[in-house]
Amino acid sequence: MDGTLVDTEVLWWETAREVAAGLGHRLTDADAPEVVGRAVADTAAHLIEVTSGDPSTLPGAAAGRDPAPERTAADPAPAPERTAADRAAALERTAAELTDSFFRKVDAGAPLRPGAAALLTSLEAAGVPFALVSASPRSVVDAVVAGALAGVDFAFTLSADDTVRTKPHPDPYRAAAERFAADPAACVAVEDSPDGTASADAAGCAVLVVPSLLPVAPGRGRTFARSLEEVDLGVLTDCLRRPNPEIQGPKPA
């Protein structure tokens, strides 16, 4: 969903940047692999790891505190002594701030990616069932489906809250295939991030990669497109017709 159908990856990066700043960390490209396409819990854990992880420095905490000194991934804050309970509290507070801030941005409006509307309409017209499989929390998924994706006839939606593990683990796509009563190998996952692609790969799905903010490495079973504007039912069908495809790389710009 994020970065594939809806242009929310930029909103997620802005969210992580703001929350990181509240923890005294300046987000840079070095943080991108731990932020872009990652679940909320993963990004929260990364921010705690590279900062002091003091949840009282986040927005909404006690007023009157001096802001934490700004750091980057290349110069992380020294890890403070912290009990397991302290770390759990910091993770919970950071994850909650990420989720709440991201929800507010998404709720204010997130545009569709180029070609998304036409592709979804063509799948509906052809009677091809499709679902939304996201690493975002249920609250965010529901907000996007009610907003930017209103009226789209998804067979169902899966969020990070619906499986024990989310992307990059295979659980979300395995659960989706099970809901369809289909072999994962008969399903095409359309993904934009390394984690999403790894999840679909591990589940056994064919993968059509339309990269967003982060590049995705070539791999067996991966087909690449520059934009959803290049994708139609024929392209998706071709992904399934190559049970042992050659390793492919991204199309040149």
Side-chain angles (χ1 to χ4, degrees):
M1 178 185 77
D2 301 308
T4 305
L5 293 176
V6 184
D7 198 7
T8 49
E9 287 291 16
V10 172
L11 300 182
W12 177 239
W13 181 261
E14 290 176 359
T15 297
R17 179 176 55 78
E18 291 167 1
V19 173
L23 290 168
H25 179 72
R26 179 168 57 85
L27 221 59
T28 69
D29 289 347
D31 298 285
E34 304 301 327
V35 175
V36 177
R38 300 303 297 266
V40 172
D42 295 331
T43 299
H46 172 67
L47 294 182
I48 293 301
E49 181 179 346
V50 297
T51 68
S52 64
D54 181 0
S56 66
T57 64
L58 289 170
R65 294 179 60 96
D66 292 331
E70 190 177 75
R71 302 276 189 160
T72 68
D75 179 31
E81 292 295 328
R82 187 185 298 122
T83 66
D86 289 339
R87 177 174 173 79
L91 283 170
E92 182 178 0
R93 179 65 181 274
T94 304
E97 183 63 28
L98 285 165
T99 299
D100 292 346
S101 178
F102 186 50
F103 179 85
R104 289 192 296 270
K105 286 179 169 57
V106 169
D107 199 42
L112 291 177
R113 297 282 291 172
L119 177 59
L120 293 170
T121 299
S122 68
L123 292 177
E124 289 181 16
V128 176
F130 56 91
L132 188 153
V133 180
S134 176
S136 287
R138 170 54 60 186
S139 60
V140 172
V141 170
D142 288 348
V144 172
V145 170
L149 296 173
V152 177
D153 190 21
F154 292 108
F156 55 86
T157 64
L158 285 176
S159 74
D161 301 325
D162 298 322
T163 53
V164 175
R165 302 179 301 178
T166 189
K167 303 174 186 180
H169 299 287
D171 305 35
Y173 281 109
R174 285 178 178 167
E178 185 175 348
R179 289 278 295 271
F180 277 129
D183 186 328
C187 302
V188 180
V190 183
E191 274 291 349
D192 73 295
S193 70
D195 270 16
T197 301
S199 174
D201 268 345
C205 301
V207 190
L208 175 64
V209 183
V210 186
S212 178
L213 293 183
L214 282 182
V216 177
R220 188 172 298 278
R222 300 178 182 181
T223 301
F224 286 79
R226 289 176 292 249
S227 164
L228 289 179
E229 292 174 307
E230 299 179 349
V231 180
D232 56 20
L233 184 55
V235 171
L236 296 176
T237 302
D238 284 345
C239 292
L240 294 173
R241 287 177 175 167
R242 296 191 297 272
N244 295 297
E246 296 298 322
I247 293 178
Q248 299 184 25
K251 291 186 177 182

